[in-house]
Amino acid sequence: MSLVLYFAPGACSFVPHCLLEASGAPYEPHMVKLHKGEQYEPTYQSINPRGQVPVLVDDGQVITQIVAISLYLAEKFPQANFLPASGVARAKVLETLMWMNNTVHTTFTHVFMPNKYSSSPEVQADIKAHAVGTYRSLLAEMQNLLEAALANGQPWFGGAHFGPLDAYALTLTRWGSIAGIDPHDFPQLWAFVQRVAQHPPVQRAIERERLQLNVLQR
């Protein structure tokens, strides 16, 4: 197969994982077990020296980073309508996608890996506690953006068709539960995420990654 996706269960690579499933194209899903350090093994480092997921390989060409991969897949599979074709509608979806990636996502990194920002356990604890509060406010903002989209008659976050915003919203909401934030605190967002999870391509990705949407549920 010319298309290969390197992903880690529960990571942001869930976004292109869902897009590939929705495309209907054949591809090879290759799981990278981050907890076992497989991202640092020479074979993976030769593909992505940064040791991150996702990585998309198309006919030997390596593409990294969520936004770049999402744009590439939208262009490769125009019939899937992952992004609006042009104009303000496309710009607004990309605006939200980049905000999810460079603001919401990076805030969660401060929750999940505060050791990246300080070697002091006390400082790490303070970074994490502060980031959890910030992350909660960002989930509230994401819910507001979603409500505006749905109120505008859009069935999906980005418009008339399933796309990267939907998969990313699910991922970021799920991460909130990892941070101890109950998704039920954001009822409109949580209802939407559960609907996204029932979309057949998303269901297939969830099953492959064996994900639990709300890790606070026992």
Side-chain angles (χ1 to χ4, degrees):
M1 294 182 188
S2 64
L3 275 173
V4 181
L5 175 70
Y6 292 85
F7 74 96
C12 62
S13 51
F14 183 76
V15 176
H17 193 174
C18 291
L19 296 183
L20 282 167
E21 285 292 332
S23 75
Y27 74 100
E28 178 185 346
H30 189 102
M31 185 183 296
V32 181
K33 298 176 181 176
L34 301 181
H35 66 286
K36 292 188 174 181
E38 291 181 354
Q39 69 273 31
Y40 302 119
E41 293 179 358
T43 301
Y44 192 74
Q45 288 279 304
S46 69
I47 300 168
N48 186 3
R50 296 189 181 109
Q52 298 173 331
V53 292
V55 171
L56 180 71
V57 181
D58 189 0
D59 198 22
Q61 296 297 310
V62 175
I63 305 166
T64 67
Q65 300 297 318
I66 288 289
V67 174
I69 293 173
S70 296
L71 282 166
Y72 183 78
L73 292 177
E75 292 177 2
K76 187 175 181 68
F77 303 110
Q79 72 282 1
N81 296 296
F82 290 140
L83 296 171
S86 62
V88 173
R90 184 180 179 90
K92 296 301 289 183
V93 170
L94 291 176
E95 174 184 273
T96 301
L97 179 62
M98 292 176 187
W99 171 77
M100 287 178 169
N101 186 239
N102 65 30
T103 301
V104 190
H105 186 146
T106 55
T107 299
F108 182 74
T109 304
H110 287 72
V111 175
F112 195 60
M113 292 186 288
N115 57 294
K116 292 185 67 173
Y117 307 100
S118 175
S119 60
S120 165
E122 293 79 10
V123 174
Q124 289 176 21
D126 187 59
I127 288 172
K128 180 175 181 177
H130 182 75
V132 168
T134 302
Y135 198 81
R136 178 181 289 276
S137 69
L138 292 172
L139 288 178
E141 184 176 351
M142 188 161 66
Q143 178 170 258
N144 290 339
L145 291 170
L146 172 66
E147 289 178 328
L150 298 180
N152 198 37
Q154 299 177 192
W156 299 98
F157 208 145
H161 303 277
F162 172 80
L165 297 189
D166 306 299
Y168 222 155
L170 184 152
T171 298
L172 296 171
T173 303
R174 179 179 176 275
W175 286 358
S177 73
I178 294 173
I181 301 170
D182 192 338
H184 292 94
D185 293 346
F186 306 95
Q188 292 80 14
L189 176 61
W190 181 229
F192 178 76
V193 163
Q194 291 178 92
R195 177 163 70 82
V196 171
Q198 295 303 310
H199 190 46
V202 179
Q203 278 187 322
R204 293 192 291 271
I206 287 174
E207 289 171 4
R208 180 175 289 123
E209 298 193 19
R210 299 181 179 180
L211 299 184
Q212 181 178 340
L213 286 185
N214 180 4
V215 302
L216 293 175
Q217 292 178 336
R218 302 302 180 194

